[in-house]
Amino acid sequence: MKRNKIALIGGGQIGGNIALLAAQKELGDIIIFDIPNAEGMVKGKALDIMQLRPHDGYDAHISGTSNWEDVKDASVFIITAGIPRKPGMNREDLLEINLGIMKDVAENIKEQAPNSFVVVISNPLDAMVYAFYKVSGFPKNQVVGMAGALDSARFRTFIAMETGCSVQDVSCMVLGGHGDTMVPITRLATVGGVPLTNLVSEKRLEEIENRTRFAGGEIVKLFGTGSAYYAPAQSAIEMAESYLRDKKRVIPCASLCEGEFGIEGYFIGVPSVIGSGGVERILEFDILNEEKQALSNTLDAVKKTVKETGL
Ligand code: A3D
């Protein structure tokens, strides 16, 4: 059986970590693509990861390139190409530069691997995944944005820290856009099946929700040079693995809504089933009036950024 070919478009902080994690999970052979100026850097990262394999015996092959033909017929693409935030910037400040990059990347992926499954990570996420979809003309099930997986992992982390219980037993989701208007659905969060609302005071829950909303900015401030990369990388791996191994995991992702939750024609964070068919389904559920209002606010923010793409 042929190994999967996984192409990482952008081999910076997140791309490099995805390469490492994908190799350790033996998801397939990995090609890290970057611009010609960064070709040495991605070739170096690839060689470095190749040389850690003997310790644990992973057989995945990792290479670096700046030649689009090398990613021909890859089954999965994970796009981090672009620039990250610096302190004081919001995600929308990246739009102009990253949009130009995304258009170029979409044209090239369309040419090299029209049947691939594409996970977009570049920010501003909700606009970048929309831009990829529009420019590539890919079917909606083949395109998804990584954000909810990370935002939910952050929410889970803070809940585990608060309750002193294993993060493994915390279940929760964050929906909506990947920005300050994201919507943690706290009433459905559980710890080992016990409703979180029975364990933590309303005031603390509000503080945890807020920390989740600004968790990306908290790390940008601490780093001083760029944005988070370990947890974003693992979140993307979870999505790629579910596709490649047809696991049908339910992951909050930026999927194209066509009527779900009353949203029409936008990519936004919703519970999505990812399997060998890509985004196979969106799991819709009854939401409360205040959640509807919060989703409507986050949709307005997404619409505003999408409008700025001019697509
Ligand atoms: P960084 O380490 O700067 O890596 C970006 C890489 O993209 C660099 O190596 C660039 O050389 C490369 N690049 C630039 N232009 C192109 C191009 N045309 N083709 C291929 N590669 C190119 O950034 P990072 O890895 O820290 O972050 C990457 C992106 O992810 C940024 O836009 C971040 O804002 C975003 N991000 C998103 C999340 C989400 O949850 C959605 C989380 C964290 C970061």
Side-chain angles (χ1 to χ4, degrees), residues 8 78 131 251 270 273 308 311:
L8 310 179
I78 304 179
I251 303 175
V270 285
V273 179
E308 283 170 31
L311 292 165

Side-chain angles (χ1 to χ4, degrees), residues 147-167:
L150 173 64
D151 298 327
S152 303
R154 287 172 168 162
F155 195 27
R156 279 175 74 184
T157 303
F158 298 142
I159 292 171
M161 283 159 65
E162 179 70 17
T163 56
C165 297
S166 167
V167 73

